[in-house]
Amino acid sequence: MPRLLLALAALVAVGAAHAETLPKSGAIKHAAYTVCRQSVAVDLGEVGSDTAAECTGIVRTTDGAKLFDNLALRCLEGSTARKSGYKFTGSCVETDSDGDKLYLSYEGPEDGPITLLGGTGKYKGIAGAGRWKVTDAPGNTATLFAFTLEYGLDWKVE
């Protein structure tokens, strides 16, 4: 039995040595592949409409970096349509394989600012900002739609 415990301890030590540690600052280049289902819509007649959707997906790095890669995504996205145009706002949680979370928000019609609000675990104290843009998937409807949200942001741990 002691040999088994020693062998397990050695495996844990090797795994810990290979785990990536979070640097104090850096940059993220991500593509979030997202599917959204509209949950509520308010028709405002001639004024326009407001809607809310829940979105889920997966986030991958676009530059091959292993850090911040392969995250689960869940967002609440609101949209406002008016005669003058429309815009989206979103609040998202990205979760890695360890269960650690990143919190983000974004806004704009087809591109705009994205803000890294904070996180848990290894991401505790993280903050940052950048830009996003969207590419809609074909075949979208008003109640079920897919898109790729590409963004880059600079971050630091405070």
Side-chain angles (χ1 to χ4, degrees), residues 61-126:
T61 58
T62 59
D63 59 4
K66 297 296 180 203
L67 191 60
F68 301 109
D69 190 34
N70 200 30
L71 305 170
L73 175 73
R74 183 171 186 220
C75 300
L76 176 62
E77 182 175 277
S79 68
T80 303
R82 299 293 184 265
K83 289 180 184 179
S84 60
Y86 64 95
K87 77 172 192 172
F88 299 98
T89 57
S91 298
C92 302
V93 177
E94 296 179 351
T95 307
D96 70 14
S97 62
D98 296 330
D100 297 336
K101 298 177 184 334
L102 292 167
Y103 306 121
L104 300 104
S105 66
Y106 62 92
E107 62 181 70
E110 295 293 325
D111 61 48
I114 188 166
T115 305
L116 181 52
L117 304 168
T120 66
K122 67 179 137 305
Y123 308 121
K124 187 167 180 67
I126 198 168

